[in-house]
Amino acid sequence: MLFHHTPFNVLLYCYLQELTEEGLPFMILFHDPEDKQIVEDYNKIVAKELLTEKNSINFVTADGNKFSHPLHHLGKSLKDLPLIAIDSFRHMYLFPDIKDMTVPGRLKQFVADLHSGKLHREFHHGPDKVASNDKLMLGDQPPPHTDPPESTFRKLQPSRNRYTILRDEL
């Protein structure tokens, strides 16, 4: 039976492969297991602003202690928690500042940037050029270039040879 889940889940190894089989990217809140407030805040924001996206992305939370390997690929450690990343199964994209999570529309824009290809394009070609008015506001310095690492959850996807009810086998 296919795993049915709420719009947001606690990421556990026991059903990670089933979630990856869906083929949807993950928006992951990596957190300290003692920090219950950040999880509550994240879940509220997802419920309030991102439910329309639930068919195109899985919203999950992950204990940073148990999922330290993906943190390492992001160049982060436990002392950097909490943080949010999108894992597209091709690359992992880090949300710039966890404090902006509470700014209305910021997480929704992050998801929109994934779906529009902006995150991937900027990964390969650097940040998009800003309009001249924006450049005046930002000064003469270009936005910092970010290089998201390859996905670590991609390795957990099931084999193409594995039987599944999600695709036609015959």
Side-chain angles (χ1 to χ4, degrees), residues 97-117:
D97 189 345
I98 190 75
K99 295 176 199 131
D100 288 343
M101 173 181 83
T102 58
V103 175
R106 281 292 163 86
L107 285 181
K108 190 166 186 73
Q109 185 60 52
F110 189 48
V111 172
D113 289 348
L114 171 74
H115 294 313
S116 73

Side-chain angles (χ1 to χ4, degrees), residues 93 116-126 128:
Y93 306 101
S116 73
K118 179 180 178 185
L119 295 178
H120 188 77
R121 183 177 63 251
E122 287 186 346
F123 165 66
H124 289 288
H125 304 290
D128 288 344

